[in-house]
Amino acid sequence: MLPDIANLVFSLFPFLHAYSNTTTPPTNGSSSPLNNAQSPPFYPSPWIEGLGDWGEAYAKAQAFVSQLTLLEKVNITTGTGWESDHCVGNVGSVPRLGFDALCMQDSPLGVRFADYVSAFPAGGTIAAAWDRGEWYRRGYQMGSEHRGKGVDVQLGPVVGPLGRNPKGGKRNWEGFSPDPYLSGIAVADTVRGIQDAGVIACTKHYIMNEQEHFRSPGTFEGSFVDAISSNIDDKTLHELYLWPFADAVRAGTGSIMCSYNKINNSQACQNSYLQNYILKGELGFQGFIMSDWDAQHSGVASTFAGLDMTMPGDTDFNSGLSFWGPNLTLSIINGTVPEWRVDDAATRIMAAYYYVGRDNASVPVNFDSWTRDTYGYEHFYGQAGYGLINQHVDVRADHFRSIRRTAAMSTVLLKNNGVLPLKGTEKWTAVFGDDAGDNAYGPNGCPDHGCDNGTLAMGWGSGTADYPYLVTPLESIKRQVGDNGGVITSVTDNWAYTQIEAMAKQASVSIVFVNADSGEGYITVDGNMGDRNNLTLWQDGDALIQNVSANCNNTIVVIHSVGPVLVNSFYNSPNISAILWAGVPGQESGNAIADILYGRYNPGGKLPFTIGSDAAEYGPDLIYEPTAGSASPQDNFEEGVFIDYRAFDQKNITPIYEFGYGLSYTTFSYSNIKVTKVAAGAYTPTTGQTKAAPTLGNFSTNPSDYQFPSDITYVNTFIYPYLNSTDLRTASMDPEYGLNYTWPAGATDGRPQARIAAGGAPGGNPQLWDVLFSVEATITNNGTLAGDEVVQLYVSLGGEDDPKVVLRGFDRLSIQPGQSATFHADITRRDISNWDTAAQNWVITDSAKAVYVGASSRKLPLTASLDTSDYQ
């Protein structure tokens, strides 16, 4: 039974005020007010209304769903089972209407399990470009490749996790940044790009899935451990973790994936408060909620709690059983679930389909996730339906050009003592490190990239794609130096100490490549079960840097990593001439770093996170061991909104390289800040009521109408909507069938419902995006080279519980030498509001507010006050 059903006696928001009267969050432990927090119930699940620009898609979806039988509605809401069809996830088809099964496919950086596709830079890398156009372009090109393969739903982009702890596994590098504003802009532009290409974007993972350890129920050291519970208060939820999801919804994301973990001890995919009240209610989400793979843990309870599509459809991989499928059919005909709820789920799916133009952009699936063979079984696990399954369609176009450019744009220059850019005519260039070269097994030699062999260009797990090729740094540097007739040698064995020392002594410039990897928890690499065990460099990287720099006083370090790493041992060494962070840049890795090293591209990337000197500076650690006395590890987010640079500012810790930091081969100056107040009306809470839940069509309650057709060819473990008996007790396979279950109050209520004050449109109350201030500043290139400067705008909200500053604007400006450019940013009502837990709405407090403009979160030379008196 749902955890929140068991707690109906709780008032609606009992746990959501943990910080309302405190200025210092309590320490983690059993005394925390968040410990064993409970999630309040909210029912019924709101039905789609066609809000915002969804009206036309909604009308088309209603017309389509009105034609469907109950079995067909169940078919398009239930996955057909793991490895049952060509994609990582498929729902059933509607042959009667010529509607093919929808294809859901990873990943957020390219098409997983397919050939002739591109491997794009990861989200956490391209975030360092701070460039809206590049985010959109990457989204559009990824969407185009998915469309070309016949994919309907791209399982990405990612803003959950946000990146609470830099040691978090694959989800961190799949996402963008621990700053909600930066992530929000990046996810919105990516969603628009994917969907403009005619593919549904599935923004994930909703919500607070901030670590791999214990993300799902399972066995740990011989004992069962339930899924981790991320325990959070209402203010932190709204001001931090929910923020980028609101941007994704406002951008029109067609789908959102609910996560594996619990939130306040209620499973994410059956958390009625987060799915019904927050996502579909407050944020006005018009698309469909899809479960992560095996993240559904109930049938009727998850239906009532707002889930619209279950993936991959079976209770466990290849079990042949489903919480939905025949059980969803049964729950409708026996009257447990009202017809309008399944109608709404189907309508939401089809509305997303029409919203992105799938009715015009759709092509048949032409690849198979489970084999690269041209011919094979249509149903891989069931071994049925032999035929053509892989057409090997090349969908890459010329995307390699933008992949190379954006990888270079995302490279961050952390240190430069004047050695960069290199000229290519250095007397002797030496390259060091396993990270400079090839994986001995080939670039795709480790399943889901679950190893750290050779240069690191993406992490591991389901958020990956196969490389069509991988350009290594060594081959690009060889080409550069060789074309100039220079000398270049290399050692790619990090433990070849004698050879490293000998070569470093001869080199006029040494380039050392090091890395740090992470991924998804179902693969363990070098003892790291998805999450990183620490923030140190992998493969003896610190020792490699020490061995080279001790013998060469002109050493350049290039870091390929999934996030922050500790650089304490070398960053300040006089023999380290330059340091670059290149993230995990995808297939053009070597070309992109060579473009930076040799000055074909002037670096302009900025850190999307903070690099500190100790893992403890970032706040609470990951939970690596079960919580004593609790079935679910209790992860109390008691630091509130203070993560990454906000935590460093709060604790007065000086980072090594702050959030937003990055150098160029030229220099810039800032001047002439100007703030213009914009007239705007008062903020008005949304009022009124919805229409009643629409019921689209009628259905029979006769079990005989839902039996397997006599002419069906049954495929083993395939999930069908049909009942296996005319006796409902037998069909249910539930020995307690017929008992009087008590379902949550209001779950079946299809009458008009009160609108939520902070809602009213996709993303929330539309007035949150009213522009209240316009800010301009002059940025001057004082050097002799053209370059890009990422200008950043921060706001001080002024309250005792607020961060020192929060990012609220940015732009990447290209400026010629000796020239100036004007930076412009608008500050919206949302940008200067706080969440009021009592009013359950956004408010502008009477605390003094100020705006800052500069080159990073710690370099803010321009400031001005903001007069908000007219807006409170």
Side-chain angles (χ1 to χ4, degrees), residues 5 102 234 251 388 390 487 653 655 681 696 722 732 757 841:
I5 294 174
L102 295 181
D234 195 27
L388 176 64
N390 276 311
V487 174
I653 299 171
L696 307 177
Y722 307 110
S732 73
N841 216 325

Side-chain angles (χ1 to χ4, degrees), residues 442-504:
N444 303 310
C446 301
D448 284 336
H449 301 290
C451 62
D452 186 37
N453 303 341
T455 194
L456 180 67
M458 69 175 73
W460 76 77
S462 63
T464 58
D466 278 4
Y467 299 105
Y469 57 80
L470 175 55
V471 181
T472 68
L474 179 56
E475 64 181 292
S476 289
I477 295 170
K478 275 186 176 180
R479 186 184 308 117
Q480 176 73 37
V481 176
D483 286 348
N484 290 317
V487 174
I488 178 166
T489 56
S490 60
V491 177
T492 57
D493 182 344
N494 291 12
W495 289 270
Y497 299 135
T498 301
Q499 291 81 359
I500 290 170
E501 179 181 347
M503 195 169 76

Side-chain angles (χ1 to χ4, degrees), residues 482-805:
D483 286 348
N484 290 317
V487 174
I488 178 166
T489 56
S490 60
V491 177
T492 57
D493 182 344
N494 291 12
W495 289 270
Y497 299 135
T498 301
Q499 291 81 359
I500 290 170
E501 179 181 347
M503 195 169 76
K505 287 179 178 179
Q506 300 175 77
S508 52
V509 58
S510 294
I511 310 175
V512 183
F513 287 86
V514 291
N515 69 37
D517 202 356
S518 71
E520 198 164 3
Y522 67 88
I523 297 175
T524 297
V525 177
D526 197 21
N528 296 265
M529 295 187 292
D531 302 313
R532 284 191 278 171
N533 295 332
N534 49 55
L535 295 182
T536 59
L537 294 170
W538 287 32
Q539 308 283 10
D540 207 26
D542 285 287
L544 174 65
I545 295 170
Q546 173 62 31
N547 291 340
V548 174
S549 61
N551 293 284
C552 178
N553 64 1
N554 188 15
T555 298
I556 299 167
V557 175
V558 179
I559 302 168
H560 286 121
S561 74
V562 292
V565 294
L566 300 181
V567 298
N568 309 28
S569 67
F570 62 87
Y571 83 98
N572 214 21
S573 166
N575 285 358
I576 303 295
S577 303
I579 304 173
L580 294 136
W581 180 79
V584 280
Q587 68 188 49
E588 290 283 335
S589 175
N591 286 335
I593 197 63
D595 288 344
I596 294 291
L597 290 171
Y598 293 97
R600 291 189 291 270
Y601 200 97
N602 189 347
K606 302 270 189 168
L607 287 176
F609 49 72
T610 300
I611 296 180
S613 58
D614 191 286
E617 295 172 347
Y618 292 89
D621 200 0
L622 301 183
I623 294 180
Y624 294 97
E625 301 286 337
T627 303
S630 178
S632 295
Q634 300 291 301
D635 195 3
N636 298 327
F637 285 38
E638 52 198 3
E639 72 282 356
V641 297
F642 296 95
I643 66 171
D644 198 76
Y645 71 92
R646 302 168 175 212
F648 282 76
D649 288 348
Q650 181 198 37
K651 301 170 187 174
N652 292 318
I653 299 171
T654 300
I656 292 178
Y657 298 114
E658 70 269 19
F659 175 84
Y661 175 87
L663 302 175
S664 169
Y665 295 154
T666 187
T667 59
F668 301 92
S669 61
Y670 289 65
S671 62
N672 303 327
I673 188 171
K674 177 184 177 183
V675 177
T676 302
K677 194 170 183 178
V678 179
Y683 180 73
T684 305
T686 297
T687 59
Q689 286 191 316
T690 69
K691 294 180 180 179
T695 298
L696 307 177
N698 298 307
F699 64 96
S700 165
T701 59
N702 185 350
S704 298
D705 295 330
Y706 300 96
Q707 304 304 300
F708 277 87
S710 59
D711 60 348
I712 193 169
T713 300
Y714 178 81
V715 177
N716 188 38
T717 73
F718 196 93
I719 304 301
Y720 298 93
Y722 307 110
L723 305 184
N724 61 7
S725 173
T726 56
D727 178 73
L728 297 187
R729 178 186 293 274
T730 302
S732 73
M733 295 187 289
D734 182 358
E736 297 183 349
Y737 181 83
L739 295 182
N740 291 322
Y741 289 95
T742 301
W743 299 109
T748 61
D749 188 355
R751 294 174 299 177
Q753 303 292 315
R755 297 193 183 277
I756 294 173
N765 193 311
Q767 297 162 87
L768 293 171
W769 281 269
D770 289 344
V771 175
L772 303 187
F773 299 95
S774 178
V775 180
E776 290 187 346
T778 301
I779 316 301
T780 302
N781 182 344
N782 298 316
T784 59
L785 296 174
D788 290 359
E789 175 69 340
V790 176
V791 186
Q792 299 158 51
L793 181 150
Y794 294 80
V795 167
S796 170
L797 295 171
E800 292 183 349
D801 297 333
D802 292 319
K804 181 179 179 181
V805 292

